[in-house]
Amino acid sequence: MNMTRRTALALGAGALAVTLLPLSAHAAADDAIATFTGGAEIGEGGLTLTTPEIAENGNTVPVSVDAPGAVAIAVFATGNPTPEVITAKFGPLAAAQSVATRIRLAGTQDVVAVAQMADGSFVRAANTVKVTIGGCGG
Amino acid sequence: MAKGVKPRVKVPKTAAAGEAITIKTLISHKMESGQRKDSDGNLIPRSIINRFTTSFNGQEVLDVVVEPAVSTNPYFEFEALVPEAGEFTFTWYDDDGSVYEAKKAVAIA
């Protein structure tokens, strides 16, 4: 095949789009996290996020979060079409600030949990989950 | 109205006063994410449970905002304090406006 100027340009644009895609996906997740925290600094520690290392089926991936002393925990899937997963608020009768559920993951990606502590500070934890079959249909 | 929606809750029948108990809840629901397409290529509209709350004798235990990324038949497991005998109320809010409720009484052993 002859490499014309047109095909070269098309290839270049394609490559650029491919490299930009993961970036824009993360930007959506960052926006979602910023909405939850109100743009506050996010620290580390005090939050445990439990996910499988490899999920064979992205339709039901068991995740659990545990943050003693938190008032709310939000979970984000950075590689999903919509990054928000759950936002759990704990009331006075919650014995432990933990919740377990099952979520959908579109593909291999980082799952991020952000907890709001009683003093108003935020902590985060992130895990990478390898997904064999994505769970968003389509 | 989504069809065949049935909440299921597992709560111990008795507990010691002040004890922390583990609660498991599941509601059968398709959780149509709004991302999938039917065989003609049309988007299937979103239809999910968008909120789940638990309270005990009117006091809040847990309030979860649920997004389409939660799996079919949303399942939640969490812990609650039982200060006295009473009743847990579990409520699920559907996108179509339906509200599903389950109640479980707990006695003090």
Side-chain angles (χ1 to χ4, degrees):
Chain A
M1 190 183 104
N2 285 332
M3 190 74 159
T4 63
R5 181 171 174 273
R6 186 165 295 177
T7 55
L9 273 177
L11 276 176
L16 190 67
V18 166
T19 50
L20 278 179
L21 264 178
L23 278 180
S24 61
H26 278 107
D30 287 343
D31 283 352
I33 293 169
T35 309
F36 176 64
T37 61
E41 282 283 304
I42 304 177
E44 298 277 335
L47 169 62
T48 314
L49 169 66
T50 312
T51 57
E53 200 174 316
I54 298 175
E56 278 188 12
N57 182 356
N59 269 315
T60 50
V61 183
V63 298
S64 64
V65 286
D66 183 13
V71 291
I73 304 178
V75 178
F76 303 93
T78 55
N80 273 10
T82 51
E84 296 93 347
V85 179
I86 56 166
T87 309
K89 283 199 193 76
F90 300 100
L93 285 185
Q97 281 68 38
S98 72
V99 62
T101 186
R102 297 172 189 149
I103 68 170
R104 291 175 175 142
L105 295 176
T108 299
Q109 58 179 282
D110 290 339
V111 175
V112 179
V114 180
Q116 181 179 16
M117 293 307 187
D119 62 3
S121 66
F122 291 91
V123 291
R124 65 176 272 161
N127 279 352
T128 304
V129 182
K130 287 186 179 137
V131 177
T132 318
I133 304 168
C136 278
Chain B
M1 172 85 193
K3 271 179 265 170
V5 176
K6 187 183 169 217
R8 271 172 280 178
V9 180
K10 202 168 181 184
V11 180
K13 284 193 179 67
T14 59
E19 191 189 342
I21 58 168
T22 301
I23 297 176
K24 295 176 182 180
T25 71
L26 186 141
I27 186 163
S28 49
H29 193 284
K30 262 193 343 202
M31 294 293 280
E32 192 59 61
S33 68
Q35 302 282 345
R36 298 198 310 153
K37 288 174 179 159
D38 62 16
S39 50
D40 300 328
N42 303 316
L43 268 187
I44 306 171
R46 177 183 128 154
S47 168
I48 66 164
I49 298 281
N50 56 41
R51 185 165 168 236
F52 166 65
T53 64
T54 303
S55 63
F56 182 74
N57 289 352
Q59 270 198 292
E60 192 187 19
V61 177
L62 184 71
D63 185 341
V64 187
V65 176
V66 182
E67 304 283 348
V70 173
S71 301
T72 305
N73 304 339
Y75 163 84
F76 292 101
E77 182 182 334
F78 52 93
E79 286 180 31
L81 282 176
V82 182
E84 73 255 335
E87 193 174 51
F88 279 101
T89 306
F90 306 92
T91 317
W92 291 263
Y93 298 85
D94 197 306
D95 265 355
D96 65 12
S98 318
V99 175
Y100 313 106
E101 208 174 65
K103 288 178 189 286
K104 287 277 175 184
V106 178
I108 295 300

